Amino acid sequence: MTTSLRDALDAWRQLLGAPRVDDGDRAWARYGADTTAATRQLGGALRAASADQVPEIVRIASRFGVPVHPISTGRNWGYGSALPVNHGCVILDLGELRRIVAFDAELGVVTVEPGVTQADLAQFLAQAQHDFLVPVSGAGGTASLLANALERGYGVTPHTDHFAAVTWMEVVLADGTVHRGMLHEAGGPELASLFRWGLGMYTQGLFTQSGLGIVTQMSIALARRPESVAVCLFSLKDEALLEAAAVAIRQAMQRLHPTLGAVNLMNRHRVLSMSAPYPWDHLDAQGLIDAPTLQALGRQFQVFPWTGFATLYGTRRMVRAAQAELRQLLGGIASRLLFVTPRRADTLARLARWVPGASGRGLQRLTQSLRSSLELVAGRPNETALPLAYWRHRHPERAASPKNPAADGCGLIWYAPLVPMRADAVRRYAEMVGEVTRAHGLEPLITFTTLGDRVFDSTVPLVFDRSDPAACARAQACWHALLARGREAGFFPYRFPIQGMEPLRQLAPESCALSERIHRSLDPQGLIAPGRYR
């Protein structure tokens, strides 16, 4: 431990109290587990008790030249969990900052601190019977709302792009000063929370995917709960229908948005990862599910090569009209086109319990997953997507509750590139992912999610046995191979795990140089989350 680090930890203990400051070893024990199998040497960890302490925490970091890595809940699974990009950082845990600072029940804007989770907001809204949707993600109820928006995450509720719903932020800069924006300063907090562009230079975007400051409050515009919520489920019975489906989805987004919230298109592997146990006893020579078993699982769980999941929000008349349009667009392409409401999903889950045998058990799993997915669509956070992280875990039954893939030993790295919404691009991309993942001994789990009507974000979870060092190495190599092959083919991630920051610097030197110039102005010592996207 260097003298400067020791002195900084002593100063932080005086500010926060000794129980809230960890040395490096205790910090590693508390924060070191990561689904990507990355490791980092930590200088220590701090747990702030209130937002008022953050400016002085940063001033101490500046005084002693010790870098800090802020986290909200540390649930950044698949991208680094709670770990920093660089070695030697001190974790600044803001998870105890859980105040819902303000809520405008008439206009639907909530202001939260970093530790407020999806479940916290859901409970707050339910207790007061406020008819608004939580901007949920697949990370589950224990994940931070603020942090997901800062990472430009997205979901399936009407405000699909979570950062686009952010109207205002309070940010602590590297010198301990607090930035709230010109409109907040000159016009007051109410107007600032209602108008996302503020006044003068738009600065909010600077603090996403950057580490330029520490966000201690955020205002988020919530979608009002509509009269009708439904999903459209459909299947592609033949792999060759993928291109036609991509075109139909693009046309649907062009015609039906915003009644049509988002469309997910998932391959068979991806659906099975959330509904069926991994068949360890039926693997081929590469250690992957053999073809007969994959077909058998598809029959048992009623999963075709591709499954579509589209969300619909609006009045009953609007949703009925959108359903008619979707039938027209998808009718000649999709099989088993089905529109389901939350009530109908509950009925299907109850009826499935009466179906006997293996088919019945598969149907029960599928309908339960459907019911959970409908809850998510209705803005109620749950863990319906998290089982995929446990798919190649040797003992998924030992998962904690609530699930924590990092602490439970799961292996997961996200490859999340943008894919143009064109038929040929979707086909080339799916074939590329299948080829690269199989070459590295990984199952090809693919989802296409609409981000508007021009581009998909495709999430590919690289799921592996984290207890096996060889499997960890293959997963890391696979991510880098996907990055290289995808870039050659015109696909590139919208978000990077911590081990991807160095390749990003090499691929975007001019942009990283500009980012570095901005950082030198606001954070000349490079103290806040060094190495992130720069």
Side-chain angles (χ1 to χ4, degrees), residues 165-454:
V166 173
T167 57
W168 172 80
M169 297 191 300
E170 175 185 87
V171 186
V172 178
L173 302 179
D175 61 358
T177 58
V178 180
H179 171 70
R180 298 185 178 93
M182 187 177 289
L183 184 58
H184 185 284
E185 184 179 5
E190 181 182 29
L191 288 177
S193 70
L194 298 178
F195 183 58
R196 68 173 300 211
W197 299 113
L199 181 66
M201 182 187 298
Y202 177 72
T203 57
Q204 286 185 174
L206 291 173
F207 301 103
T208 69
Q209 293 189 352
S210 73
L212 268 176
I214 299 172
V215 179
T216 51
Q217 287 187 28
M218 175 182 285
S219 295
I220 302 170
L222 303 179
R224 192 173 296 275
R225 189 174 300 282
E227 181 184 22
S228 181
V229 175
V231 299
C232 171
L233 293 173
F234 61 92
S235 300
L236 306 182
K237 64 181 180 181
D238 193 317
E239 179 70 33
L241 294 169
L242 177 61
E243 289 93 332
V247 173
I249 289 169
R250 183 183 69 212
Q251 293 172 341
M253 292 299 297
Q254 290 168 344
R255 294 185 193 179
L256 303 177
H257 185 74
T259 303
L260 178 59
V263 183
N264 281 354
L265 190 61
M266 299 169 282
N267 73 348
R268 178 178 280 156
H269 282 84
R270 181 62 176 267
V271 177
L272 289 174
S273 73
M274 297 186 293
S275 55
Y278 192 74
W280 288 102
D281 296 332
H282 298 278
L283 306 182
D284 62 18
Q286 291 180 284
L288 302 173
I289 302 173
D290 60 47
T293 300
L294 187 63
Q295 294 291 333
L297 287 172
R299 288 191 298 271
Q300 179 182 348
F301 290 91
Q302 298 294 298
V303 180
F304 281 14
W306 291 90
T307 298
F309 185 94
T311 58
L312 298 168
Y313 301 94
T315 65
R316 290 187 178 89
R317 291 175 61 188
M318 292 167 64
V319 169
R320 281 198 299 268
Q323 289 176 354
E325 290 286 335
L326 284 173
R327 284 193 185 95
Q328 181 182 18
L329 287 166
L330 295 170
I333 302 166
S335 302
R336 300 192 306 192
L337 189 64
L338 180 67
F339 294 95
V340 184
T341 63
R343 179 176 296 180
R344 190 173 183 184
D346 289 342
T347 301
L348 290 172
R350 288 195 300 271
L351 292 175
R353 292 199 293 265
W354 294 94
V355 179
S359 296
R361 289 191 295 273
L363 190 60
Q364 289 163 28
R365 281 177 175 264
L366 194 63
T367 54
Q368 181 56 49
S369 178
L370 174 61
R371 182 162 63 176
S372 297
S373 297
L374 263 292
E375 290 178 357
L376 208 63
V377 168
R380 299 183 180 93
N382 60 40
E383 297 182 339
T384 187
L386 281 182
L388 71 84
Y390 294 78
W391 206 33
R392 298 188 81 174
H393 192 294
R394 291 288 180 173
H395 299 285
E397 73 281 357
R398 299 178 186 174
S401 182
K403 288 183 171 64
N404 185 328
D408 291 338
C410 297
L412 169 67
I413 307 173
W414 286 107
Y415 171 62
L418 301 168
V419 179
M421 205 175 284
R422 298 190 183 97
D424 67 313
V426 168
R427 170 59 64 196
R428 288 187 294 107
Y429 172 79
E431 291 178 350
M432 183 274 294
V433 170
E435 180 182 334
V436 173
T437 53
R438 290 187 180 96
H440 290 82
L442 294 169
E443 305 287 356
L445 281 63
I446 302 174
T447 296
F448 293 102
T449 300
T450 55
L451 299 181
D453 59 13
R454 293 182 295 274

Side-chain angles (χ1 to χ4, degrees), residues 31 46-48 69-73 91-97:
Y31 300 100
L46 318 171
R47 285 175 292 282
H69 176 71
I71 63 170
S72 296
T73 59
I91 300 286
L92 173 53
D93 185 345
L94 305 177
E96 292 184 38
L97 277 56

Side-chain angles (χ1 to χ4, degrees), residues 14-56:
Q14 292 180 19
L15 173 68
L16 304 175
R20 292 184 172 275
V21 179
D22 294 339
D23 61 16
D25 291 340
R26 285 187 295 170
W28 174 254
R30 188 186 293 263
Y31 300 100
D34 172 39
T35 66
T36 74
T39 59
R40 293 292 184 271
Q41 183 181 3
L42 301 178
L46 318 171
R47 285 175 292 282
S50 73
D52 294 339
Q53 294 174 332
V54 176
E56 185 58 27

